[in-house]
Amino acid sequence: MFQNFRLSMAWLHTWFGLVLGFVLMAAFFFGALSVFDREIDRWAIPASRFEPTPMPSYDQILKPVFESMQPNAQAREAMRGEVNGPLPERFDTPQRWGAYTTHRDPVLGLFAGYEVANAKKPETLIWAMRTIDPRNGESLPDDHLKIGSQFFYPLHYSLTLNWMGLGYWIVGFAALIMLVALVSGVVMHRKIFRELFTFRPKKATQRSVLDLHNMTGVVALPFHFFFAFTGLVIFAGIYFPITHTQLEPLHELHEKMEAEETGLPHDRAGVAAPVASVDAMVAEAQRRWAAKGMAGDVGFLSVTHVGDANGYVSVYRAGTDRIALTGEGIHFKASTGALLREDPPRTAVDSLNTFLTGLHLQHFRHWLLRWLYVLGGLAGCACIATGFVFFVEKRKKQHAKQGVQGARVVDALAVTTVTGMLVAALGMLISNRLLPEAMPQGWPGRGDMERYFFWAAWLLAMAHAFVRSAPVARGLPNPAWREQCWAVAAMAVTAVLLNWLTTGDHLFKTLGAGYWPVAGVDLFMLASAALAVVVARKLKTRAVPAMPSRAAEVAHV
């Protein structure tokens, strides 16, 4: 079929990269934004604009909040098909309470899982979530969406397509194909080190775009390979599931045996028992970490089998002082505070897994490396975007002569994926500043409305890209690229101004106070606006055909 192995790799690289590049573009871009997801959360929820605090007192602050929690209407609706008969009005048997925070979280996320008496599967739990101010326990409105951590972050690995886990599978398959594309790209470019330093911006569009594609691909090659690989490792449990297969009974048996070995009960005893002072247990855990020379910030705190004689408290270290995602968990009997178990050192395989996971999720304290992650993700976006443009530039004149619409369709989809994605993200941030704090009765929640604005903006960008793509069928540039760049610039500036007008937190104020989470988001949007203006002006220059010289005119006559 092909004359040599290199040509077969070129075909593989081109077509696999084209088909799944649209998914990878979203994964890279929203993955890059997710590096600062907590900072975007603070921009989106002004009530959370205060400095992060350590895990608060369980006895004084967390316990009263847990006791008041109940599943919301959305959780109840999702549970209706999982029970025999009607749902109970209240859920009074909490199976698990938990609180999670990071060194970048000003607010605290809580969750509570309750047993459902008439559930079709006995192990089924219904969950309640709440976000609180850890300084006083006051709750934030349930319908306020944490745009960074609850939307952009899951979008980069699941596309928010949760039905049957479809999004996880699409992104996972795209990551696998990306590994193939990286290897085939290296095979294609035999002079890879020369191409690392070759960029000719003043050459023809096709040549300069290919140079930029090669350069961004080679410079960030280790980053791209590592993140595609570790992403697959993190979600291996989804791609190779144990539950709901023939191995499920073995899995359940293993859990029960592990509970016996560790002393952490698998089931409730059915005997009521109070919970001793959890603050004292946390203090003991911190003492034990300090004895090992470890930092003592608590990242995750949970109470399992709440109010039962088999109840136990687990305290996990935040672990921001190391790359590996380890918690050094210490577990106590809930009713007495007696030590049940201190997690032993991990095996070599577990250590490797936690290291790879931690390096991907970057929960450690290292701001320089965090910015390098952003640059690596944006380099991936540039590599994919230039691949789209090169594909179209190489074929559009030929397709125009043949009357084929292939280049036009690909170009419109590329506009939708590249600039359209920016339009959608900025549209969501603008809607966040324009929507009222409390939505009118009968309307969707505020967070749902922000999601609707995101997808609506992306659909409008897609419609615009296809409507304006007619010139591509004649071998000419698509004006949608330039027009959407101007839209991105205008929307980015608008979002920054709206943040100022609706909260009073303008750049001079946030920079003067050194409040970088909000100032950084504003600065990033302004930088995006400036870059969009530069690109739009450059595209306009390239779109204007060169004037024929006088000599050429005379020769023609």
Side-chain angles (χ1 to χ4, degrees):
M1 182 177 178
F2 299 101
Q3 295 179 358
N4 54 52
F5 179 70
R6 182 169 169 267
L7 288 178
S8 66
M9 289 295 99
W11 181 92
L12 189 71
H13 183 87
T14 299
W15 291 102
F16 277 29
L18 175 67
V19 173
L20 289 169
F22 305 107
V23 176
L24 290 172
M25 186 75 182
F28 268 112
F29 178 70
F30 290 107
L33 294 187
S34 297
V35 174
F36 290 103
D37 57 347
R38 264 62 176 188
E39 288 70 20
I40 296 173
D41 289 347
R42 294 197 222 178
W43 191 96
I45 305 178
S48 68
R49 294 182 182 179
F50 51 87
E51 291 302 321
T53 57
M55 184 74 71
S57 164
Y58 175 92
D59 299 343
Q60 297 178 13
I61 294 180
L62 298 186
K63 184 179 178 182
V65 179
F66 280 127
E67 291 175 341
S68 69
M69 290 174 63
Q70 282 290 297
N72 61 19
Q74 186 177 1
R76 294 176 64 90
E77 187 62 32
M79 182 59 63
R80 291 192 188 281
E82 304 295 325
V83 298
N84 297 311
L87 278 174
E89 291 297 322
R90 282 187 56 83
F91 297 90
D92 297 318
T93 308
Q95 173 67 14
R96 192 177 189 193
W97 289 342
Y100 173 77
T101 189
T102 73
H103 67 284
R104 294 162 46 232
D105 269 314
V107 294
L108 184 64
L110 307 182
F111 65 86
Y114 297 88
E115 291 187 356
V116 184
N118 56 342
K120 294 178 181 178
K121 295 182 179 179
E123 68 275 10
T124 300
L125 300 178
I126 186 170
W127 295 91
M129 307 289 179
R130 188 172 293 181
T131 301
I132 66 168
D133 183 337
R135 300 171 301 181
N136 51 32
E138 292 184 3
S139 300
L140 274 67
D142 289 338
D143 63 345
H144 283 201
L145 176 66
K146 298 176 183 176
I147 291 178
S149 60
Q150 291 182 345
F151 189 77
F152 289 161
Y153 175 59
L155 186 63
H156 98 277
Y157 61 78
S158 71
L159 305 178
T160 68
L161 296 175
N162 298 322
W163 180 75
M164 300 290 290
L166 181 61
Y168 295 95
W169 285 95
I170 293 174
V171 175
F173 182 66
L176 183 63
I177 294 303
M178 180 181 167
L179 296 177
V180 176
L182 290 174
V183 174
S184 58
V186 171
V187 173
M188 286 170 57
H189 301 291
R190 291 171 294 185
K191 300 176 181 178
I192 191 169
F193 292 103
R194 189 185 74 178
E195 289 168 351
L196 175 61
F197 303 102
T198 302
F199 179 46
R200 292 159 283 189
K202 296 184 179 180
K203 292 286 187 179
T205 301
Q206 186 174 328
R207 179 70 263 172
S208 60
V209 164
L210 182 60
D211 283 348
L212 189 57
H213 177 75
N214 293 337
M215 187 173 67
T216 53
V218 171
V219 167
L221 181 63
F223 175 91
H224 298 157
F225 189 92
F226 172 80
F227 272 82
F229 175 73
T230 54
L232 291 170
V233 169
I234 290 171
F235 291 105
I238 292 177
Y239 308 134
F240 301 98
I242 294 296
T243 57
H244 308 299
T245 68
Q246 292 181 350
L247 296 178
E248 185 172 4
L250 184 61
H251 173 70
E252 292 295 323
L253 177 61
H254 171 73
E255 282 194 344
K256 291 181 179 180
M257 291 179 63
E258 185 178 41
E260 292 178 2
E261 293 174 1
T262 60
L264 305 180
H266 183 267
D267 301 309
R268 297 176 72 91
V271 178
V275 178
S277 172
V278 174
D279 289 354
M281 302 178 206
V282 169
E284 174 62 16
Q286 292 175 321
R287 186 192 68 78
R288 288 175 178 269
W289 294 329
K292 298 179 180 179
M294 297 178 175
D297 290 338
V298 178
F300 181 58
L301 177 66
S302 72
V303 183
T304 306
H305 307 318
V306 182
D308 187 83
N310 275 354
Y312 61 92
V313 175
S314 300
V315 187
Y316 294 91
R317 200 171 69 87
T320 55
D321 57 335
R322 61 188 63 196
I323 293 176
L325 196 66
T326 58
E328 284 83 24
I330 301 178
H331 313 273
F332 303 88
K333 188 172 181 62
S335 58
T336 64
L339 178 68
L340 290 178
R341 172 182 169 83
E342 190 168 353
D343 288 350
R346 294 180 178 271
T347 64
V349 174
D350 281 344
S351 297
L352 178 61
N353 181 56
T354 55
F355 178 81
L356 294 176
T357 303
L359 198 55
H360 187 109
L361 298 180
Q362 30 79 41
H363 285 182
F364 45 85
R365 296 177 187 266
H366 200 303
W367 291 106
L368 176 59
L369 189 57
R370 192 173 291 278
W371 274 108
L372 290 176
Y373 277 35
V374 173
L375 295 176
L378 296 181
C381 293
C383 183
I384 296 167
T386 50
F388 290 151
V389 174
F390 177 75
F391 181 93
V392 174
E393 289 295 321
K394 185 177 180 180
R395 292 164 176 81
K396 68 181 182 183
K397 292 183 179 179
Q398 179 185 358
H399 284 192
K401 292 178 182 179
Q402 298 173 346
V404 178
Q405 298 293 312
R408 177 181 179 180
V409 172
V410 171
D411 189 85
L413 289 174
V415 174
T416 302
T417 308
V418 181
T419 54
M421 183 168 55
L422 296 172
V423 168
L426 289 168
M428 189 177 202
L429 295 178
I430 290 174
S431 71
N432 171 269
R433 294 292 83 229
L434 290 177
L435 289 170
E437 286 296 306
M439 298 302 296
Q441 186 69 26
W443 283 56
R446 196 174 190 276
D448 290 333
M449 288 296 295
E450 290 169 357
R451 292 185 182 93
Y452 297 154
F453 271 99
F454 176 87
W455 296 114
W458 209 340
L459 284 174
L460 284 174
M462 181 178 184
H464 172 259
F466 273 92
V467 168
R468 298 290 283 156
S469 65
V472 181
R474 303 194 301 272
L476 301 173
N478 186 349
W481 284 104
R482 184 177 70 256
E483 293 163 357
Q484 291 198 15
C485 280
W486 284 116
V488 167
M491 293 175 75
V493 173
T494 300
V496 174
L497 291 176
L498 285 173
N499 176 51
W500 173 16
L501 294 174
T502 57
T503 68
D505 291 338
H506 53 79
L507 264 174
F508 292 110
K509 178 181 178 181
T510 52
L511 287 174
Y515 195 67
W516 287 104
V518 174
V521 175
D522 279 347
L523 288 172
F524 192 84
M525 286 193 286
L526 290 177
S528 301
L531 182 60
V533 169
V534 171
V535 173
R537 292 173 64 87
K538 188 71 174 178
L539 289 173
K540 182 179 180 180
T541 303
R542 291 200 177 231
V544 176
M547 295 296 293
S549 65
R550 180 63 184 167
E553 291 178 1
V554 171
H556 178 70
V557 173

